[in-house]
Amino acid sequence: MEEAPQEVPSAELGLRAPRWIRDNEVTMCMKCKEQFNALTRRRHHCRACGHVVCWKCSDYKAPLEYDGNKMNKVCKDCYHILQGSNNSEEKEKKRGILEIESAEVSGNSIICSFLQYNEKSKPWQKVWCVIPKHEALVLYMYGAPQDVKAQATIPLLGYIIEESPRGVDLPYSFRLSQSKSIHSFSADSEELKQRWLKVINMAVVGETTSDRNGAVDEHLEPSL
């Protein structure tokens, strides 16, 4: 199985070719977090870190040692690092609850996989769902496994679970409801559905996998 792309350390930027993140692993620019679309947000790769970025965030050039110090298109963050300035500490202070990278939580999660998701009368959509170990009572939803910002989060404590909800036309479905908040999900198989229910059933009552002896993590690798 192919390993997930690794971050290039700042000190090694430009010294070696990065491993490119594939276009279908993101739905938004990995720098400014704007959604991609066919007209105004085309995908570009930073030649220094391999991240997928929009044209605005790739409108920089810097010499890269691994390419004979030729000028290459790089993202704004790598440009500033290669120029000797780094504002990563300032960026970290501004990061909100949704601005946690999918790869960051997926790599240290209790469970993560694609699920079909539906809320109210909206159409079903495929989302990358993660329950991280450090926040085991919260479900994070991303557009793709390498997105740098979550689309939404669901604090699971107190939700009611319907394991076989009525009126859902997709198989292997389950539903979470609390007051007027209703979230429907559908897995690709009964096995995957049961893995999610195992974790969610504990989370809704305030338990985590570490609270039960013999509980195992259900970390699923992305199937792209």
Side-chain angles (χ1 to χ4, degrees):
M1 181 174 292
E2 186 177 355
E3 295 181 356
Q6 300 294 314
E7 288 282 344
V8 179
S10 296
E12 297 182 20
L13 281 175
L15 300 182
R16 59 182 174 88
R19 186 175 182 180
W20 284 22
I21 292 177
R22 289 176 288 184
D23 288 354
N24 65 350
E25 292 186 87
V26 297
T27 63
M28 64 183 66
C29 173
M30 299 182 74
K31 299 304 174 182
C32 71
K33 304 178 180 64
E34 289 293 327
Q35 292 288 327
F36 286 121
N37 61 64
L39 296 178
T40 60
R41 292 284 174 180
R42 295 183 59 189
R43 290 167 167 82
H44 301 270
H45 278 89
C46 171
R47 269 60 174 180
C49 67
H51 282 187
V52 185
V53 294
C54 67
W55 70 271
K56 287 184 179 179
C57 293
S58 66
D59 195 22
Y60 300 82
K61 287 189 176 181
L64 300 179
E65 188 172 326
Y66 77 82
D67 194 28
N69 284 316
K70 295 178 182 178
M71 298 297 287
N72 277 265
K73 185 181 288 290
V74 298
C75 69
K76 58 181 179 180
D77 288 351
C78 288
Y79 175 80
H80 290 304
I81 293 173
L82 291 167
Q83 295 298 313
S85 61
N86 189 355
N87 58 354
S88 60
E89 292 184 3
E90 181 180 348
K91 286 170 54 184
E92 187 69 24
K93 292 178 182 178
K94 294 180 179 179
R95 194 166 72 162
I97 185 171
L98 295 179
E99 295 177 329
I100 298 178
E101 297 185 15
S102 175
E104 180 181 331
V105 292
S106 299
N108 191 28
S109 64
I110 298 172
I111 183 170
C112 61
S113 76
F114 279 112
L115 294 173
Q116 294 290 333
Y117 172 69
N118 169 265
E119 182 185 12
K120 299 179 180 178
S121 59
K122 298 178 182 179
W124 287 91
Q125 61 174 318
K126 187 177 183 180
V127 294
W128 179 253
C129 297
V130 184
I131 296 181
K133 289 182 179 179
H134 76 278
E135 208 169 0
L137 305 183
V138 179
L139 191 156
Y140 283 78
M141 292 187 289
Y142 296 86
Q146 293 291 336
D147 275 356
V148 293
K149 182 179 180 181
Q151 294 181 350
T153 61
I154 302 176
L156 296 171
L157 186 64
Y159 268 85
I160 297 172
I161 303 172
E162 294 180 70
E163 296 192 10
S164 298
R166 295 181 180 179
V168 178
D169 55 358
L170 292 182
Y172 318 122
S173 61
F174 59 93
R175 179 179 291 158
L176 303 176
S177 60
Q178 185 181 75
S179 184
K180 295 182 180 180
S181 181
I182 301 175
H183 307 276
S184 298
F185 296 88
S186 177
D188 289 339
S189 66
E190 182 65 25
E191 179 187 9
L192 179 57
K193 171 185 171 180
Q194 293 303 323
R195 289 183 176 183
W196 274 99
L197 288 175
K198 174 183 176 182
V199 177
I200 293 174
N201 270 304
M202 289 189 287
V204 297
V205 295
E207 292 186 7
T208 65
T209 53
S210 60
D211 294 329
R212 296 188 182 183
N213 294 329
V216 296
D217 292 345
E218 302 289 351
H219 180 208
L220 304 179
E221 295 292 339
S223 54
L224 300 172

